[in-house]
Amino acid sequence: MSTVSAPHRAPHPDRLFPADPGVRSVAQRIHHTVRDERIISPHGHVDARVLADDEAFSDPAALLITPDHYVTRLLHANGIPLDALGVGRGELSEAQARSVWRIVCENWAVFRGTPVRYWFDVELADIFGITEQPGASNADALYDRIADCLSRPEFRPRRLFERFGIDVLATTDDPCDDLSAHARLAADPAWSGRVVPTFRPDRYLEPALPGWRQAVDRLASVSDVDTDDFDGYLNALQKRRRYFIDHGATATDHSHADVGTQPLDPAEARRIYRGARAGSVTLAESTALRRHMLFEMARMSTDDGLVMMLHPAIRRGHHRPTGAAFGPDTGHDLPLRVEFTDALRPLLENFGTHHNLNLVLFTVDETAYSRDIAPLAGFYPTVFVGAPWWFLDAPEAIRRFHGAVTETAGYRKLAGFVDDTRGFCSIPARHDMARRLDAAGLAQLVAEHRLTEDEAVVVAGELVREQPRRVFKL
Amino acid sequence: MSTVSAPHRAPHPDRLFPADPGVRSVAQRIHHTVRDERIISPHGHVDARVLADDEAFSDPAALLITPDHYVTRLLHANGIPLDALGVGRGELSEAQARSVWRIVCENWAVFRGTPVRYWFDVELADIFGITEQPGASNADALYDRIADCLSRPEFRPRRLFERFGIDVLATTDDPCDDLSAHARLAADPAWSGRVVPTFRPDRYLEPALPGWRQAVDRLASVSDVDTDDFDGYLNALQKRRRYFIDHGATATDHSHADVGTQPLDPAEARRIYRGARAGSVTLAESTALRRHMLFEMARMSTDDGLVMMLHPAIRRGHHRPTGAAFGPDTGHDLPLRVEFTDALRPLLENFGTHHNLNLVLFTVDETAYSRDIAPLAGFYPTVFVGAPWWFLDAPEAIRRFHGAVTETAGYRKLAGFVDDTRGFCSIPARHDMARRLDAAGLAQLVAEHRLTEDEAVVVAGELVREQPRRVFKL
Amino acid sequence: MSTVSAPHRAPHPDRLFPADPGVRSVAQRIHHTVRDERIISPHGHVDARVLADDEAFSDPAALLITPDHYVTRLLHANGIPLDALGVGRGELSEAQARSVWRIVCENWAVFRGTPVRYWFDVELADIFGITEQPGASNADALYDRIADCLSRPEFRPRRLFERFGIDVLATTDDPCDDLSAHARLAADPAWSGRVVPTFRPDRYLEPALPGWRQAVDRLASVSDVDTDDFDGYLNALQKRRRYFIDHGATATDHSHADVGTQPLDPAEARRIYRGARAGSVTLAESTALRRHMLFEMARMSTDDGLVMMLHPAIRRGHHRPTGAAFGPDTGHDLPLRVEFTDALRPLLENFGTHHNLNLVLFTVDETAYSRDIAPLAGFYPTVFVGAPWWFLDAPEAIRRFHGAVTETAGYRKLAGFVDDTRGFCSIPARHDMARRLDAAGLAQLVAEHRLTEDEAVVVAGELVREQPRRVFKL
């Protein structure tokens, strides 16, 4: 084990592998078999227009810092105001971008022990050839080196997409989105990458959310279906799902405070909907309708085959003053307790063994792994275990995840890794981290004679190839 | 560390031990001292009639697959319908049994990383001498080999019981059971094994459960005590507890949605009971009476000395269509959140320091280990920590269990391992797994100089000998 | 790795370090850099009078056993009545003290695997030079050796304080305490140690607690502010906070069943307070007022700068018969489930980015680490992660803590170790345990190439020096 720390430190080839030399060599061999597999990214937040337009990234801060709330929240937590980081300020001047970058470098220490630091190390080295640790003294030089890269054609989005070895990338999209960026990419003979949309209808399903009525009005207009009554609303959603499918979508994504799926009596659903359209809906009614609608989404999936991803139990915009000043997704969406077993029961009793439904469960409340998600996936053929997500997308948390779900559900019920990122350049680093941790965990099983190395190699391959394709129907 | 995978792979002698060579050798030495200790099985679901009748097991599927919902649920989760596995279809023809076995072999990969795979490997090798991995190509040959074994006298239940080194086996029984199988075994001069019943009154304690009235009618008839009023009902239960004690029972077992123990005003208890007998009881009343009755069970235990096991917080029969088609215990009893500290307070304030009560707490919600169970066991002399149960009965979960409870409660408050199995042949594999993980965990403490190796050996021995005997009064 | 167990066993220099030789040597090097750092103890329960009076400790039992509910609860859990341990019996005769000590030695085995055993081993060796394991045969001899030590001047409290290398020790005090012991120490030219009080107002903030009215009467008298109305009550509290600050306090400490901080309409707060003063308050009103008051405490902190520690979610005095017979803090204060994210939202939306507020969150419900505390500390500059507390103050739990919080919050948001002890002599052993586990955890990161060894050394130093000073304003 090397303990020398050179000023130039490329990410170590054995990073994240077990320290025990024997186990480490098993991990190396397993990882070697999946290291260069192409990336399947079934869920994330890259904007398809970035690839459709294929314009050069403007500057290092806009590429690596300002849109990435993982980075900005940690700096904010250590006393740096968000406006000093360019959050929510739109396009930055060169001086501003450089200042943001400098602040990040000066505060590099706040990332110690976090996955942000790990991803940065790998991104900077693998994409930009930078193996120095950022700091006050080299901040400007590093800015210049990255900026210089970004001006070169091989750092355009499409070239990076190819260099990253991305096989398919799913975006996350509003049901009213015209998906023109996806269409442009699909129609472009010079482009062979696969970028598929994902149907994310949250704001259309909760009448008490601000802007719901206008959203449903817009839904009527883009779908050309009258949404004044409940049946029209359902039809409009169904039509937009079809539109998404026609543009390559294979999945929907849902994130509400809970995963309740209790269906309403049809008359009650219509009554609540009517009231909501007329501007009169209680929070309880809105929640009841949303749970009914999650059930409806599953019913529609049994028809049209869209995979359902559930990302529940987040308190969005915990600090309202920050939300008001800097907008959403600024680092204070925080985890809540979650319960899946009873909440999903109505859905699963009706569709839990349906051949056309795949349901992928994610959580930011770890207690649900061994108590809810793995037991559900260990019985229902429709239920799959989603990858560690958000705050849990880090080495220790990923290890806990493996330990908590595989014994009950088996490896075959894992949906494979999902990067869920807004940081385009972090995609390969994140998938590589997942593959290393898969290899490390499997090597441990081999070392303890719970699996043969041959089998471990098969499992590692299935986790990055067959399973995401099968689960997400890609 | 061997990484060669031969087609024939006997379970490795060092399986489940730490990978570090130094720590592994400590684990080997500790394990060596308990490896051949006789098995005490204070809780499980083997049918005493199997041993009383001592007939040959009919076929490999009926012995190893169909009754074991650990196995069938994983196959179901991977798309195999339960009817193809012979679940709930009664006795299978030879062709059907062979087909079930073949499906299991063909889908061997779904067990990777699960304890089912581990138990199977050990069972097949140690009991049937099979060290090949099952698969499509050898399914029929393996079936024939196991079937051949089963036709031989040394594979009869009693011979296996002896070969497994079982010292005492507790079954789980309905309070109205006549325990004739236990009586036959006790009276048989050719049989020296100890098989004791356990009093499991769940269905008699919740009036809102289907069939409660008939159950209580039956209770009256077998106890010869009129259960029309509440006092008679209590007397009848008390009399059946005595009947169980006379047949060797040392414990009761209880599994409800929660462990509430709030006693009712006697008049209120009588009122609810009267209503329930007359067919009128609300769910809230039923729950209130059940909590009262759990308190009463503890009171009775302070009189008659029966140990109480609590296995709470399971949603039984989550998928009702499967329950309707295939019956109970078919793999979709799922964990719920649980809370012990406040729920048990009435019971513990009244009986928590009583010399005649032992209370063993189990959970499928891991969060209760360090928050509820270990702190309760770390103060109350009556409270003991039950072994990891159900979904948690697997290597990683057992390690988490050790880490979560021993620091707060100490090793002396552990009740020892409980296999809780319906799979007779899995008993030795399960106890061996537990002993290996005890040894591995203790070796880690020795390696970190937190315990001497001498002490670790003492602890390992106490966990398999003195502690289960003392806690379960065996 | 040594596995020899000699009858005399000094605590091993490598205790708690990783077993892997390579990782262990990194841990050794990191630990070496912080091993001798002076102790900062920002929260604990040592009585300042012990140091002010500086009288010899009376006997081994009174020093090491009777006041330490960690020790007595484990013995009680194993069947030793509390009265046999001298709990709640005031000063013990020499014979009684010797008897208590003998019981502890005879039951030494109950501590195996617990931190109590670890602390004892280190205390006995490092303070009293005892490296034999206590037992029946040497109990009296050990008693005599310790008693002999205690009669010598170098075992007086102040000399031990100096020998322990304590830089600053915070006590926990009632708002009405005159802090005369702190004042005597501060005024004593022969004493250079720093002992600061902490403002702990729990009983003044919950009108439904027994004794609240008398407590608030006393508050009026010591503060010389009329507390008959709500504004007077607030002023009196504010004045006492100032009094504490004038005596060196830098923090307040709060422990209620939850951390709700919902402010009330001022008129409603006044109404509840008036009713409570008149002897009429419901439990719901009491809880509402207490949550309002926690919000008020934060508001006051933004003015006077006192750091807030939150230690919520304990069921105090779970076993009322024991509480009645032996008093509070006798080992049956038990953990409850806790939720921070929504509960703290009102406080954080108002003061979560205030420059003058530091908020340190502690939990005995581990699920809150990765779900609530780390995400909150990973965004809010005012929120810091408190050390593992109470039942979680042990090696395995501390490792889980590291894994659960650092990836989300980063090391810089940790408040550093807090011993929280009533056992004066356990202070160095507890801090040493924390430093060893910090070193072990950081060594693991170095071994996995997630941090350089240079950085790990910096982090380890910050955790024991800069961070507690900065977070607790010491």
Side-chain angles (χ1 to χ4, degrees), chain A residues 270-399:
Chain A
R270 286 193 188 94
R271 187 193 66 74
I272 294 175
Y273 184 82
R274 245 189 339 263
R277 289 296 289 162
S280 152
V281 68
T282 66
L283 186 56
E285 287 172 335
S286 174
T287 300
L289 191 70
R290 180 252 290 168
R291 291 175 182 159
H292 177 88
M293 287 307 299
L294 208 55
F295 183 94
E296 280 294 323
M297 289 288 117
R299 195 186 52 70
M300 291 182 192
S301 278
T302 62
D303 285 337
D304 63 25
L306 287 177
V307 177
M308 286 182 87
M309 287 183 271
L310 300 182
H311 286 92
I314 298 289
R315 182 67 66 219
R316 302 270 168 196
H318 189 266
H319 193 244
R320 272 170 287 212
T322 294
F326 300 98
D329 302 320
T330 42
H332 47 107
D333 293 354
L334 297 176
L336 300 176
R337 280 191 275 203
V338 74
E339 193 279 328
F340 288 91
T341 304
D342 280 348
L344 288 178
R345 197 177 188 192
L347 187 162
L348 290 170
E349 288 211 318
N350 280 277
F351 314 119
T353 57
H354 195 284
H355 71 279
N356 213 22
L357 180 68
N358 280 2
L359 197 62
V360 189
L361 307 184
F362 296 86
T363 184
V364 273
D365 173 357
E366 294 187 75
T367 68
Y369 283 145
S370 74
R371 189 186 55 220
D372 301 56
I373 293 178
L376 286 165
F379 174 74
Y380 287 100
T382 49
V383 176
F384 295 89
V385 182
W389 167 53
W390 207 320
F391 296 105
L392 303 175
D393 179 14
E396 300 299 327
I398 290 174
R399 282 174 190 153

Side-chain angles (χ1 to χ4, degrees), chain A residues 81 117 160 245 294 393 395 424:
Chain A
R117 159 69 181 275
L160 286 177
I245 293 168
L294 208 55
D393 179 14
F424 181 55

Side-chain angles (χ1 to χ4, degrees), chain A residues 369-370 374-375 377-378 385 399-414 445 448 450, chain B residues 16 70-71 73-74 110-119 366 388-401 433 437:
Chain A
Y369 283 145
S370 74
V385 182
R399 282 174 190 153
R400 292 194 298 272
F401 164 83
H402 280 150
V405 304
T406 52
E407 294 185 322
T408 290
Y411 280 102
R412 280 278 174 89
K413 296 306 301 271
L414 270 56
L445 293 189
E448 297 179 7
R450 294 155 69 185
Chain B
L16 300 178
Y70 285 79
V71 177
R73 70 163 180 77
L74 271 165
V110 309
F111 302 119
R112 281 181 194 137
T114 74
V116 173
R117 159 69 181 275
Y118 180 94
W119 298 323
E366 294 187 74
W389 168 52
W390 207 321
F391 297 105
L392 303 176
D393 180 13
E396 300 299 329
I398 291 176
R399 282 175 191 154
R400 293 196 297 272
F401 163 82
M433 175 188 277
L437 292 165

Side-chain angles (χ1 to χ4, degrees), chain C residues 237-247 303-304:
Chain C
L237 285 167
Q238 213 149 7
K239 205 166 161 192
R240 292 308 294 170
R241 292 168 63 104
R242 177 54 57 193
Y243 183 85
F244 269 62
I245 293 169
D246 291 343
H247 285 74
D303 284 337
D304 62 26

Side-chain angles (χ1 to χ4, degrees), chain C residues 57-124:
Chain C
F57 293 108
S58 62
D59 61 78
L63 177 64
L64 300 171
I65 311 299
T66 51
D68 191 342
H69 56 72
Y70 285 78
V71 177
T72 57
R73 72 163 180 76
L74 272 164
L75 291 160
H76 181 262
N78 284 278
I80 318 287
L82 289 183
D83 51 12
L85 295 167
V87 173
R89 288 168 68 184
E91 209 161 316
L92 303 179
S93 71
E94 204 271 348
Q96 288 171 323
R98 190 176 285 273
S99 163
V100 168
W101 176 256
R102 198 181 300 119
I103 290 171
V104 173
C105 294
E106 286 166 355
N107 289 280
W108 203 246
V110 308
F111 303 119
R112 283 182 191 136
T114 72
V116 172
R117 160 68 181 274
Y118 180 94
W119 296 323
F120 264 137
D121 280 354
V122 176
E123 283 172 64
L124 292 177

